[in-house]
């Protein structure tokens, strides 16, 4: 790696939250694992920062990343900060001529600014081989996502555009690939023939935490389901890849998502939404969502969303995939629950109806559990359920470290392809329209509860 050229990471929006909270710590963990990787960090933002302050920012963000002090020092010898209003063509052009190939331009900017900066970059000469890294949201519906895609490929070709969804780099999500494709006992049962239902749940005990400026315009469906949870579904449902080559895996993910539709094509029955009211999360008093600073109650933003979808292909037709994510939830469930069908016949004479077998992939912290029916204690002809459990090892680096490593190497395995970004909007749009038309009630649930009464995972509930 030491004979590789130095990659310049140009962070646009270097004073923002993403840069200091996720990007720089992620880079720190990448450098901790790969100290010989050659990177130069150039930050640009409109606020005035001295070089010393920029260096302090980097050092602080990387504290705890496990990167040796001398490696941070080496990074700081070339780390530079440029004050620039990136919407001013002359200032952007001046910035672009300062940076050399290989170059990664990371848009850590508000999405509407990213679009405008891209429009300016179309008119400028970027160094040969420049890659772009973008953060969600990729548009706000399928039409705007398509428009953004058309704009981006006027700057660089698709294979050099990295749409980042850091969930794809979470080791417990990537564990799906190993669990699915490396286990003889699971490979043959991974289909509608054997699986009754799949739940992909990401409930958080965090409330709004001062993020109304972003969240009140997004809500749980756009923030979590349209992006992260559909990516998990794609990894879960895709056909078997022969290799982990990005071209192959991205095509298989796209194929699964193209087959995905709301259950029964009925957005009213296939979707639910809720919003938390005042309550308690552990020791913390949580105020009503609509009383939070910056929230506009008239937007009707949901803090809990559920969609039931079907992957309409030979492998999965007829299996409900329940996707749910909420804030201020009493139970921090973050997991994929696979419920298997009951056996065709249980020997007559066994007593007690067994529960279905269940495989649970816990996403945080990582674990795999398998619930199996076994003969009950004290009665060899009765059944009871027991759980086998394996904890997953720790990740080698933070998800943003994996993301950046892939981008630096020009490997889009962990990135979202342009058509997939559009596809994910296409899947959720009927629900968003039904909600905008008031066809699905916005239910209340107290913060710290398990959600509104009567929410069930089955589309028949
Ligand atoms: P912030 O608002 O915290 O940061 C954006 C930065 O860009 C600010 O420092 C802002 O400056 C600067 N900026 C805005 N306009 C210009 C301009 N014309 N010229 C130069 N600098 C400018 O946003 P985040 O860091 O939270 O988010 C960045 C992106 O990452 C967004 O697309 C977001 O959706 C995405 N994202 C964020 C996550 C997070 O946890 N923060 C998680 C996942 C994705 P100023 O403060 O002066 O406006």
């Amino acid at each position: 790696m030491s004979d590789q050229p130095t990659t310049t990471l140009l962070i646009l929006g270097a004073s923002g939250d993403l840069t200091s909270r996720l990007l720089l710590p992620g880079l720190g963990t990448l450098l901790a694992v790969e100290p010989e990787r050659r990177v130069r960090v150039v930050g640009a933002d409109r606020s005035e920062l001295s070089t010393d302050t920029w260096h302090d920012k980097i050092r602080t963000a990387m504290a705890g990343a496990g990167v040796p002090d001398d490696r941070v020092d080496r990074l700081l010898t070339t780390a530079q900060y440029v004050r620039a209003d990136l919407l001013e063509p002359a200032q952007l052009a001046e910035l672009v001529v300062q940076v050399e190939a290989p170059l990664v331009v990371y848009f850590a900017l508000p999405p509407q600014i990213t679009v405008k900066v891209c429009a300016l970059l179309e008119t400028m000469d970027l160094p040969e081989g420049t890659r772009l890294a973008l953060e969600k949201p990729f548009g706000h519906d399928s039409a705007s996502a398509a428009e953004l895609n058309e704009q981006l490929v006027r700057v660089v070709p698709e294979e050099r555009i990295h749409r980042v969804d850091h969930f794809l780099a979470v080791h417990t999500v990537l564990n799906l690939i190993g669990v699915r494709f490396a286990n003889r006992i699971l490979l043959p049962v991974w289909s509608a023939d054997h699986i009754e239902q799949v739940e992909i749940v990401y409930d958080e005990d965090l409330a709004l935490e001062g993020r109304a400026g972003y969240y009140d315009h997004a809500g749980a469906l756009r923030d979590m389901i349209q992006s992260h949870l559909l990516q998990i579904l794609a990894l879960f449902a895709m056909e078997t890849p022969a290799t982990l080559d990005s071209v192959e895996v991205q095509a298989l993910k796209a194929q699964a998502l193209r087959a995905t539709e709301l259950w029964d094509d009925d957005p009213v029955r296939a979707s639910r939404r809720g919003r938390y009211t005042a309550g308690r999360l552990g020791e913390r008093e949580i105020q009503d969502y609509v009383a939070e600073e910056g929230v506009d109650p008239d937007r009707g933003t949901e803090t809990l969303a559920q969609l039931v979808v079907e992957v309409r292909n030979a492998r999965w037709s007829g299996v409900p995939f329940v996707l749910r994510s909420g804030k201020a939830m009493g139970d921090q469930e973050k997991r994929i629950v696979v419920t298997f069908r009951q056996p065709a016949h249980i020997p007559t004479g066994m007593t007690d109806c067994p529960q279905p077998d269940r495989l649970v992939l816990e996403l945080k912290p990582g674990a795999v559990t398998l619930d199996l029916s076994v003969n009950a204690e004290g009665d060899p002809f009765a059944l009871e359920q027991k759980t086998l459990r394996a904890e997953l090892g720790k990740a080698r680096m933070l998800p943003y470290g994996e993301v950046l490593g892939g981008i630096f190497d020009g490997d889009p395995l962990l990135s979202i392809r342009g058509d997939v970004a559009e596809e994910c909007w296409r899947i959720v749009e009927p629900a968003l329209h039904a909600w905008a038309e008031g066809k699905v009630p916005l239910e209340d649930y107290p913060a710290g509860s398990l959600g509104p009464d009567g929410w069930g995972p089955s589309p028949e509930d």
Side-chain angles (χ1 to χ4, degrees):
M1 204 163 276
S2 51
D3 54 354
Q4 300 272 311
T6 300
T7 301
T8 298
L9 173 64
L10 173 60
I11 305 176
L12 307 181
S15 292
D17 179 67
L18 179 87
T19 303
S20 51
R21 213 166 48 79
L22 296 170
L23 218 44
L24 292 173
L27 178 62
T29 59
L30 174 66
L31 294 177
V33 175
E34 299 175 9
E36 295 313 315
R37 196 178 267 281
R38 302 172 100 181
V39 184
R40 174 178 178 231
V41 184
V42 178
D45 202 297
R46 61 183 170 192
S47 56
E48 195 71 64
L49 286 192
S50 67
T51 303
D52 282 350
T53 312
W54 174 233
H55 286 188
D56 284 347
K57 235 180 200 307
I58 296 176
R59 210 182 271 286
T60 306
M62 290 189 179
V67 50
D69 286 347
D70 62 333
R71 183 64 191 90
V72 179
D73 291 342
R74 199 143 45 92
L75 185 75
L76 296 185
T77 56
T78 57
Q80 188 191 350
Y81 179 83
V82 179
R83 201 215 75 80
D85 183 338
L86 301 165
L87 296 181
E88 283 298 324
Q91 294 184 33
L92 183 64
E94 200 178 321
L95 177 65
V96 166
V97 294
Q98 289 179 41
V99 283
E100 288 173 4
L103 172 66
V104 171
V105 180
Y106 205 111
F107 293 88
L109 293 165
Q112 67 281 12
I113 306 290
T114 294
V115 169
K116 290 180 183 162
V117 172
C118 274
L120 293 175
L121 289 178
E122 275 179 48
T123 64
M124 295 176 193
D125 284 333
L126 291 170
E128 187 61 33
T130 295
R131 287 178 218 123
L132 306 183
L134 284 100
E135 284 288 337
K136 66 161 192 160
F138 312 116
H140 49 85
D141 54 19
S142 51
S144 57
E147 211 174 296
L148 176 63
N149 285 339
E150 282 167 22
Q151 184 182 14
L152 290 170
V153 293
R154 291 197 291 269
V155 184
V156 301
E158 172 64 28
E159 62 273 17
R160 289 200 255 120
I161 300 167
H162 295 261
R163 293 172 196 77
V164 172
D165 186 326
H166 72 280
F167 264 51
L168 285 174
V170 173
H171 80 298
T172 55
V173 172
L174 289 173
N175 176 47
L176 253 178
I177 297 177
V179 165
R180 275 196 65 185
F181 301 121
N183 287 298
R184 186 68 190 233
I185 59 162
L186 291 180
L187 270 167
V189 297
W190 213 259
S191 72
D193 291 342
H194 301 280
I195 291 177
E196 176 100 42
Q197 175 178 280
V198 180
E199 291 160 77
I200 303 175
V201 176
Y202 206 89
D203 286 344
E204 300 178 289
D205 64 348
L206 293 172
L208 190 57
E209 320 293 335
R211 294 187 67 217
Y214 160 71
Y215 193 85
D216 199 45
H217 294 269
L221 195 151
R222 289 182 180 85
D223 184 45
M224 294 298 298
I225 295 182
Q226 186 274 339
S227 48
H228 307 312
L229 300 199
L230 282 176
Q231 292 303 314
I232 297 178
L233 175 139
L235 285 178
F236 185 101
M238 71 183 184
E239 295 301 315
T240 311
T243 70
L244 287 186
D245 178 83
S246 60
V247 173
E248 190 177 349
V249 173
Q250 291 205 335
L252 293 173
K253 281 175 57 203
Q255 185 192 42
L257 289 167
R258 278 205 301 275
T260 302
E261 305 285 348
L262 292 187
W263 189 261
D264 263 354
D265 295 314
D266 182 346
V268 175
R269 285 182 64 233
S271 71
R272 304 191 84 157
R273 55 179 178 150
R275 184 167 69 182
Y276 69 79
T277 53
R280 286 191 77 80
L281 278 170
E283 298 297 298
R284 288 194 301 152
E285 290 280 355
I286 302 295
Q287 62 175 333
D288 206 315
Y289 176 78
V290 297
E292 295 264 16
E293 197 181 330
V295 167
D296 177 355
D298 292 340
R299 276 196 202 105
T301 302
E302 81 288 355
T303 57
L304 171 65
Q306 179 173 293
L307 282 192
V308 183
V309 300
E310 181 179 21
V311 183
R312 287 192 194 143
N313 61 19
R315 183 184 286 271
W316 292 115
S317 275
V319 177
F321 282 77
V322 182
L323 313 179
R324 189 187 79 209
S325 182
K327 280 196 180 297
M329 300 292 283
D331 185 353
Q332 296 188 55
E333 253 187 58
K334 294 177 177 57
R335 53 193 197 160
I336 305 167
V337 182
V338 185
T339 305
F340 290 92
R341 296 192 189 284
Q342 294 280 20
H345 177 73
I346 293 170
T348 311
M350 300 290 298
T351 55
D352 289 341
C353 186
Q355 301 292 314
D357 300 345
R358 287 192 336 161
L359 176 72
V360 180
L361 306 172
E362 291 179 13
L363 301 175
K364 203 173 179 183
V368 178
T369 66
L370 183 60
D371 298 339
L372 291 178
S373 292
V374 297
N375 286 19
E377 195 176 326
D379 182 351
F381 302 108
L383 292 164
E384 66 180 353
Q385 206 164 44
K386 294 277 187 194
T387 299
L388 311 179
R389 182 177 173 87
E391 313 280 337
L392 292 187
K394 278 173 45 183
R396 61 178 177 169
M397 60 180 87
L398 289 171
Y400 269 90
E402 298 284 357
V403 163
L404 285 168
I407 298 171
F408 293 158
D409 293 341
D411 180 359
L413 178 67
L414 304 180
S415 306
I416 296 181
R417 213 171 62 184
D419 59 319
V420 166
E422 294 172 39
E423 210 58 49
C424 291
W425 282 114
R426 196 246 339 130
I427 294 165
V428 305
E429 257 164 15
L432 288 170
H433 291 154
W435 293 8
E437 290 163 12
K439 292 179 178 165
V440 177
L442 181 60
E443 300 168 66
D444 283 343
Y445 63 98
S449 71
L450 300 180
D453 289 340
W455 278 39
S458 158
E460 310 308 331
D461 284 346

